[in-house]
Amino acid sequence: MLPLRRLSGACRRRGLARFAAGAPREAADAVVVGAGAVGLAVARALAMAGREVLVVESASSFGTGTSSRNSEVIHAGIYYPPRSLKASLCVRGKEMLYKYCAERDIPHKRLSKLIVATGAAETAKLDMLLESAKGNGVDDLQVMEGSQAMEMEPELRCLKALLSPSTGIVDSHSFMLSLLADAENLGSTISYNTAVVSGHLGNEGIELHISESRELENHSVGSRVPPQIVLLPKLLINSAGLSALPLAKRLHGLDQAFVPPAYYARGCYFTLSQTKSPFSHLIYPLPEDGGIGVHVTLDLHGLVRFGPDVEWLDGGIDDMSCFLNGFDYSVNPTRCSGFYSVIRKYFPNLKDGSLEPGYSGIRPKLSGPGQGPSDFVIQGEDVHGIPGLVNLFGIESPGLTSSLAIAEYIVSSLY
């Protein structure tokens, strides 16, 4: 786990460095930008394939962005269009994740999930979800009448439900810590507080301009941040999560036609103040615009959370602040007023004043308000024509569930 000031020396000790005027220029084999769940999974998979991997992370630790600000749900693969990457990688990733967690004693539970229809107009949508799930290879769903679902969960109110037995929860921090340990045991290096501020893609390969994160904190918008090191990797995996698109825009030589517009949606969670959980399963309403609805999740200690909602952000954050994860994660307590009416559709006994602000997360999205849901985008040379560059865009939910499968997909495409 090297800070940037030691990274140069480490590369030179391996005989990889060469110098030019200004910042040192140092060769590298494989560089992964971003130490979230997906970035760490990719680093591990590349190291298992024999690559010498450097992970560059702008934060002071791993998994501080989207990977640690979500529901920690292991998704079954129900919601996504058949033949989409989200569908195939979620279904494959679910099985890989359960196996990985079992082998390494990572805390997780197969809690099961109920997707509920609370009105007559919603029952047809539930049938459509069932057919979509079958198309994705999710063949364990069970159709339940409302009376059956409410027998399982006495506090629940619904007309009809789908039971997903393979949905569960995972301790995402323990999962990422294990991925990190695997990668490091295979010789990978991680450099925290280290930001990729720009790059150049040309005939001589890939150049990455690297700076300590603290150098970005006092920059003026639009000003150039001079690199402290220039890395020359053979392979670059842009797995920067929320800043993957801003980084791609700063890779000079990449045709910007391959960089889609970025949209960001904040999702807030509220916790239930009562100590005893009213539910023993995850409870989900039908999906909404921009998300899959304000649902009931349980953590491994039984704490009940409701969320996330969808709040589209208007922008207003520049690239450098994005690299530093400078988003506003505060939870406005007044947002809970919108939660009560939504939650009471399936949990009518929710008492006034029982919701308390929890936390929020930001989702990196490729479609905006009123647009249809977008798929994961994993771009290799076959798409953009740049040898050695793989971009990962729009890795929102089910990114955590899919992380091991995404890594497998990338590595298999390289060999």
Side-chain angles (χ1 to χ4, degrees), residues 27-59:
D29 181 23
V31 172
V32 176
V33 183
V38 173
L40 292 173
V42 172
R44 169 183 175 270
L46 289 172
M48 290 174 66
R51 302 301 292 257
E52 187 172 8
V53 182
L54 169 64
V55 181
V56 177
E57 169 57 51
S58 62

Side-chain angles (χ1 to χ4, degrees), residues 92-283:
R92 170 64 175 157
K94 171 188 63 179
E95 301 304 325
M96 295 178 74
L97 182 54
Y98 275 127
K99 182 174 184 291
Y100 184 90
C101 291
E103 290 174 347
R104 289 163 172 79
D105 293 324
I106 294 168
H108 69 288
K109 287 182 181 178
R110 289 185 187 246
L111 286 179
S112 301
K113 171 172 74 175
L114 286 166
I115 307 172
V116 299
T118 58
E122 292 184 337
T123 57
K125 295 179 181 179
L126 212 59
D127 294 335
M128 292 172 62
L129 269 185
L130 177 62
E131 292 306 310
S132 175
K134 288 179 179 177
N136 293 342
V138 182
D139 53 9
D140 62 349
L141 297 188
Q142 302 171 29
V143 180
M144 307 186 79
E145 295 301 323
S147 57
Q148 296 173 289
M150 290 185 290
E151 185 176 348
M152 289 178 60
E153 293 286 4
E155 290 290 335
L156 176 66
R157 291 297 178 269
C158 66
L159 294 180
K160 193 174 181 180
L162 290 178
L163 175 66
S164 171
S166 60
T167 300
I169 55 175
V170 63
D171 181 338
S172 60
H173 181 84
S174 295
F175 171 55
M176 289 186 284
L177 188 62
S178 180
L179 292 175
L180 174 61
D182 286 350
E184 289 188 320
N185 288 337
L186 290 164
S188 300
T189 301
I190 185 164
S191 183
Y192 294 122
N193 299 307
T194 304
V196 181
V197 295
S198 62
H200 181 76
L201 314 173
N203 294 331
E204 296 184 3
I206 300 171
E207 279 190 8
L208 286 184
H209 300 164
I210 312 289
S211 175
E212 288 186 311
S213 296
R214 64 183 179 183
E215 297 297 319
L216 280 60
E217 293 173 358
N218 298 316
H219 80 288
S220 57
V221 176
S223 64
R224 178 178 177 271
V225 177
Q228 295 171 289
I229 292 179
V230 176
L231 289 182
L232 309 170
K234 297 175 184 176
L235 174 65
L236 169 62
I237 310 294
N238 174 10
S239 182
L242 293 166
S243 58
L245 286 165
L247 174 57
K249 290 193 300 182
R250 288 174 165 265
L251 295 178
H252 304 289
L254 174 63
D255 187 340
Q256 293 301 294
F258 296 110
V259 183
Y263 300 91
Y264 299 102
R266 177 167 47 224
C268 292
Y269 292 83
F270 284 80
T271 59
L272 191 63
S273 58
Q274 66 189 70
T275 55
K276 181 173 171 47
S277 171
F279 301 108
S280 58
H281 302 79
L282 308 180
I283 310 293

Side-chain angles (χ1 to χ4, degrees), residues 44 74-78 80 84-100 110 136-138 166 376 398-410 412:
R44 169 183 175 270
I74 301 175
H75 289 286
I78 297 168
Y80 320 109
S84 66
L85 284 177
K86 282 186 175 180
S88 60
L89 295 176
C90 181
V91 172
R92 170 64 175 157
K94 171 188 63 179
E95 301 304 325
M96 295 178 74
L97 182 54
Y98 275 127
K99 182 174 184 291
Y100 184 90
R110 289 185 187 246
N136 293 342
V138 182
S166 60
F376 292 154
L400 178 63
T401 303
S402 306
S403 55
L404 292 170
I406 291 172
E408 179 184 66
Y409 179 89
I410 290 171
S412 67

Side-chain angles (χ1 to χ4, degrees), residues 66 241-243 263-265 362-366 393-397:
T66 305
L242 293 166
S243 58
Y263 300 91
Y264 299 102
I362 310 292
R363 284 161 274 185
K365 304 185 77 67
L366 301 180
F393 298 144
I395 309 298
E396 52 168 339
S397 181

Side-chain angles (χ1 to χ4, degrees), residues 278-297:
F279 301 108
S280 58
H281 302 79
L282 308 180
I283 310 293
Y284 277 59
L286 286 162
E288 62 180 5
D289 179 29
I292 52 179
V294 173
H295 50 264
V296 178
T297 60

